[in-house]
Amino acid sequence: MALPDFLVIGVPKAGTTALHSALARHPRLFMSPVKEPKFFLTDGPPPAKGGPGDAETYREHVWRRADYEALFADAAPGALRGESTPFYLYDRTAQRRIREAIPDAKLIVSLRDPVERAHSNWTHLWSAGLEPIGDVIEACAAEKQRIADDWSPFWHYVGLGRYGEQLADLFALFPREQVLVFRYRDLVDRPAATLDRICAFLGVEQGLVGEVPRENVTAHPRHSRRHRILARLARLGDPVLGRRLTTPLERVLQRDGQPRRPLTWEQRQELLAYFAADIALLREVLGRDSFGEDFGDWLRPRDRSGGLVGARPSGQRQARNGRVSGASQRAARPPGMDGPPGGDPVGA
């Protein structure tokens, strides 16, 4: 039975795409060729519709057990098998499915300042032409209605950032020694040390991977009439033509995109209201003694914000997960998955 030995389970926009690529370079680790298979998010076929772009994303789910196991079939003898689906932490039913299927799995969690994470998430969808609201604060205010309308979790800008609630539920299912939690900023500022920490947690040799590629760097197109027109076309055409329309439009939308622009302190304060209580809970759940800090910096103005890794590397596109990963991967695309293969590009 070829199920993974470890999972990167959270959180979206916290370097999981780049981390997946970095770990794939370790000779003792085999990362699934599809970076984000989402297998544990459903018990069967995923939904057929949701928010803008969701139908295309749902078609990429590797939801059949045989297809999921096939992702790990090419792992070398003795290699640890892993995959990265950063929604598993947020989805409590996925947590329970993982516990039932692979109770001994090791789980890896990258946490990012929840305001920055929400802003990066919104920018990701805005730059792809899918987000219809051109202001992150207004988009967060619309979240309850979007959830009621069954928009997929990637639209849950606020919910995805409530890590205290998510980890409290996870620790009710898994012993803490099976869970590694670290901060996204460590992946950005101290990549070699952070990768060594992850390798030590997994029980493989340290010092063999020391760099985190600049992948999934979010472009930030400016508000303009051109952007409004192209984005509306992308949203209207996506349910019918999917990526045949959205991929070329996405390239045009992001052609002149700049690094993600910082939030003002006033904007940050508005968004912090969603997260302050959960940050306090996170402190309790993790405990300062075990994690070494209290996340107080998340409640203050930032000395840097947005564009942590600068402009997007030349030729790179916005990551669309559920696709075959780039040069580090070896296995073939499992049967039954729609959409073209392509590189799945730490991001801003």
Side-chain angles (χ1 to χ4, degrees), residues 61-75:
H61 280 222
V62 183
W63 59 270
R64 296 179 180 88
R65 175 68 175 257
D67 292 343
Y68 185 64
E69 293 190 9
L71 295 178
F72 308 101
D74 288 346

Side-chain angles (χ1 to χ4, degrees), residues 80-339:
L80 297 180
R81 301 177 295 267
E83 65 116 317
S84 306
T85 299
F87 298 100
Y88 289 160
L89 178 64
Y90 177 61
D91 190 312
R92 306 320 198 270
T93 307
Q95 291 185 13
R96 293 192 291 271
R97 291 188 185 107
I98 294 168
R99 177 68 178 82
E100 292 169 3
I102 38 176
D104 296 327
K106 292 191 173 183
L107 309 175
I108 298 170
V109 180
S110 172
L111 297 183
R112 184 176 187 174
D113 175 327
V115 171
E116 285 292 297
R117 198 222 65 79
H119 188 215
S120 179
N121 195 158
W122 170 83
T123 306
H124 181 123
L125 290 166
W126 169 261
S127 72
L130 298 174
E131 171 56 73
I133 299 177
D135 178 86
V136 63
I137 295 171
E138 293 180 16
C140 287
E143 183 163 319
K144 286 185 179 179
Q145 185 58 52
R146 290 175 170 186
I147 292 173
D149 293 338
D150 294 323
W151 289 28
S152 74
F154 198 46
W155 294 95
H156 303 182
Y157 305 148
V158 173
L160 284 165
R162 288 182 170 148
Y163 315 133
E165 298 172 358
Q166 297 165 37
L167 285 169
D169 290 338
L170 186 73
F171 290 143
L173 297 172
F174 291 89
R176 295 193 178 215
E177 59 267 23
Q178 284 180 225
V179 183
L180 175 66
V181 179
F182 62 91
R183 293 183 63 158
Y184 165 77
R185 71 178 187 186
D186 293 333
L187 200 60
V188 174
D189 294 341
R190 295 174 288 278
T194 303
L195 289 168
D196 277 349
R197 185 181 172 199
I198 294 169
C199 289
F201 170 69
L202 295 175
V204 298
E205 295 84 350
Q206 301 176 49
L208 300 184
V209 287
E211 295 182 357
V212 176
R214 286 170 56 201
E215 298 198 359
N216 203 11
V217 179
T218 303
H220 195 159
R222 298 186 182 279
H223 292 255
S224 66
R225 183 171 180 271
R226 170 177 169 272
H227 184 277
R228 288 195 301 273
I229 293 171
L230 292 177
R232 182 171 175 78
L233 180 60
R235 292 193 297 272
L236 290 173
D238 177 74
V240 178
L241 296 174
R243 286 193 184 161
R244 285 176 291 173
L245 173 67
T246 59
T247 295
L249 281 178
E250 194 174 293
R251 291 195 186 102
V252 176
L253 281 164
Q254 299 176 16
R255 183 172 296 156
D256 300 318
Q258 302 299 307
R260 183 168 62 89
R261 294 187 288 280
L263 292 167
T264 66
W265 173 230
E266 290 72 24
Q267 290 174 310
R268 183 169 174 79
Q269 284 178 301
E270 287 197 60
L271 294 179
L272 274 173
Y274 290 111
F275 302 110
D278 186 78
I279 292 171
L281 175 61
L282 180 64
R283 291 168 171 166
E284 295 179 15
V285 170
L286 290 179
R288 181 166 183 147
D289 290 342
S290 62
F291 199 69
E293 51 189 303
D294 65 0
F295 303 97
D297 58 299
W298 287 355
L299 299 170
R300 299 191 293 269
R302 291 179 59 89
D303 57 0
R304 62 183 189 182
S305 177
L308 295 185
V309 292
R312 176 182 295 178
S314 177
Q316 190 181 99
R317 290 191 293 135
Q318 189 88 1
R320 289 292 297 269
N321 295 312
R323 302 182 305 181
V324 174
S325 297
S328 63
Q329 305 302 335
R330 300 169 290 282
R333 188 176 186 81
M337 288 189 63
D338 297 323

